[in-house]
Amino acid sequence: MFEALDAKTAAVFSAADVRENVPLRSYTSFCIGGPCDYFYDMRSIPELQSVLNVARRVGIEMTTMGKGSNLLVSDRGVRGLVCHIGDAFANMRLVDASEVSKLDKIEMAEIPAASTTLAQAGSPVPRRIDDASPKCRYVEAQAGVSLAALAEFAAERGLSGLEFARGIPGSFGGGLRMNAGAYGEAMHNIVVASQALLSDGTVINLVGAEHCFAYRHSRFEAEGLIVLSSIIRLVEADPADIRAKMRDLQQRRRQSQPLEHASAGSVFKRPEGHYASKLIMEAGLKGLRVGGAEVSTKHAGFIVNPERTASASDVLALIRKIESIILEKYAVKLELELQLCGDYGEEALGL
């Protein structure tokens, strides 16, 4: 193993159970993707720092992946090291308010830049949970926990604020990175403080406005930070009401989204003054196919892989067709919400 690496790097990789040439299609909700050179399943922060440091020393680039629910991985795979933050780094715990009060700058004032961006995108800026509320409670979770599991953890303890996330198929870390949201709520409503890793292995703490949340955007994404964990603010509520809201949102998702097919969720961001799915539907593009990739007949904002035979090239070609038609018919340039990951070369030009 690791014949191409020096002895020190090989020893650290071996100790961390790093694997070679791992196909990534099994780690994405799209069921698409070639192999990565090296694959590391994160278990602890110190171990990640060791792996990251030796990788940097020999010039191996690292890509971070959670549940892979918003990724289109290249057919040629990913060069370098993929750090998978999954079930091995997915602990959750209740946090006492006294711990939270020790954090610096804990006030959660509205962020003008984020609020403006959200408003421009056509999204209401939802309320924040009031710190002064006697019913306010805190939960800390590591980045690898699924949003569904975190929402269940909260619901079982009668804590409200995460109902919207129950049906989002990503990880908590991925949700923080893209400020995931649904039904008028988003991660920026509940996040208090986070721990992240710089590319040089340094651990930093972010509090409140330091997250720089905006519509489908955060400081994690802008600066390439690795999300490690976060403390979120929830509020006590009737467990029956929480479950009822979760059931209602789940039913709405089942009725409107192609959950029965492999996909990566919404392909495009919401254009200013428009809805991408509405434009695509009105253009008559539902059911449009390239190879094994298809515009969902249930929700035009999704591209699906119904037979699980689609390649990344199929999906990219279909995206280009959609973009071209929408630009020509409506003079609207669509922007990807889907993230491209891996060795695309010239395939991704223009996206």
Side-chain angles (χ1 to χ4, degrees):
M1 289 180 63
F2 310 127
E3 288 85 356
L5 303 177
D6 65 82
K8 181 178 180 180
T9 306
V12 171
F13 276 19
S14 180
D17 293 330
V18 173
R19 292 178 283 156
E20 295 182 277
N21 298 315
V22 174
L24 295 176
R25 61 180 293 124
S26 300
Y27 292 90
T28 70
S29 60
F30 231 149
C31 299
I32 293 172
C36 61
D37 294 333
Y38 305 103
F39 184 90
Y40 165 59
D41 208 346
M42 181 183 175
R43 299 179 296 200
S44 72
I45 296 173
E47 185 179 78
L48 172 59
Q49 289 171 314
S50 295
V51 170
L52 179 60
N53 286 336
V54 297
R56 287 180 64 250
R57 181 176 58 82
V58 296
I60 296 175
E61 184 177 351
M62 189 173 82
T63 301
T64 305
M65 177 183 292
K67 298 294 182 183
S69 61
N70 192 42
L71 296 180
L72 179 63
V73 176
S74 166
D75 300 319
R76 291 190 287 268
V78 180
R79 303 287 66 81
L81 172 71
V82 168
C83 173
H84 178 241
I85 304 179
D87 294 342
F89 196 72
N91 293 316
M92 299 170 278
R93 71 182 182 102
L94 294 173
V95 178
D96 190 84
S98 62
E99 290 185 59
V100 178
S101 67
K102 297 175 184 177
L103 294 170
D104 186 32
K105 296 176 290 184
I106 198 59
E107 70 278 0
M108 293 292 284
E110 292 290 347
I111 310 168
S115 302
T116 301
T117 306
L118 285 162
Q120 288 176 344
S123 298
V125 181
R127 61 173 177 79
R128 294 186 185 280
I129 294 171
D130 185 2
D131 278 324
S133 169
K135 295 186 176 182
C136 189
R137 297 292 181 268
Y138 300 91
V139 174
E140 182 179 30
Q142 292 178 321
V145 69
S146 71
L147 284 169
L150 184 56
E152 284 293 329
F153 179 90
E156 288 169 3
R157 289 155 181 79
L159 300 178
S160 177
L162 264 174
E163 293 90 334
F164 75 93
R166 177 60 181 84
I168 298 176
S171 67
F172 182 45
L176 290 168
R177 181 180 173 84
M178 69 172 293
N179 191 20
Y183 304 109
E185 301 286 343
M187 299 305 297
H188 79 269
N189 289 79
I190 58 176
V191 174
V192 173
S194 301
Q195 193 175 65
L197 200 68
L198 299 176
S199 60
D200 65 0
T202 302
V203 175
I204 65 168
N205 295 302
L206 304 179
V207 181
E210 294 172 347
H211 292 85
C212 299
F213 283 124
Y215 175 67
R216 300 299 179 261
H217 177 80
S218 71
R219 184 174 172 184
F220 303 113
E221 180 185 43
E223 298 181 13
L225 305 180
I226 300 173
V227 184
L228 297 175
S229 63
S230 186
I231 295 174
I232 57 175
R233 179 188 294 104
L234 304 173
V235 65
E236 291 179 352
D238 186 333
D241 291 341
I242 294 172
R243 290 292 180 186
K245 183 175 180 180
M246 289 171 68
R247 285 194 299 271
D248 175 61
L249 295 181
Q250 282 290 85
Q251 180 63 21
R252 291 166 66 180
R253 280 191 173 94
R254 283 192 292 268
Q255 291 174 345
S256 64
Q257 298 179 9
L259 304 182
E260 66 276 15
H261 294 313
S263 79
S266 296
V267 176
F268 301 103
K269 294 181 180 179
R270 183 182 300 170
E272 184 175 350
H274 300 277
Y275 289 91
S277 59
K278 187 172 186 291
L279 294 175
I280 296 167
M281 179 181 66
E282 290 178 347
L285 301 183
K286 277 188 172 183
L288 180 66
R289 289 185 71 116
V290 172
E294 175 184 282
V295 177
S296 171
T297 57
K298 194 172 188 178
H299 190 306
F302 286 61
I303 290 176
V304 296
N305 182 10
E307 292 88 29
R308 303 200 174 192
T309 58
S311 65
S313 295
D314 291 341
V315 176
L316 280 177
L318 185 52
I319 287 172
R320 287 196 181 102
K321 280 193 173 185
I322 295 168
E323 288 180 327
S324 176
I325 292 170
I326 297 304
L327 184 61
E328 181 179 351
K329 288 181 70 72
Y330 304 109
V332 174
K333 183 174 176 57
L334 296 178
E335 180 183 353
L336 282 181
E337 181 172 311
L338 176 72
Q339 300 290 308
L340 303 184
C341 177
D343 181 13
Y344 278 100
E346 295 185 355
E347 281 185 278
L349 291 178
L351 292 177

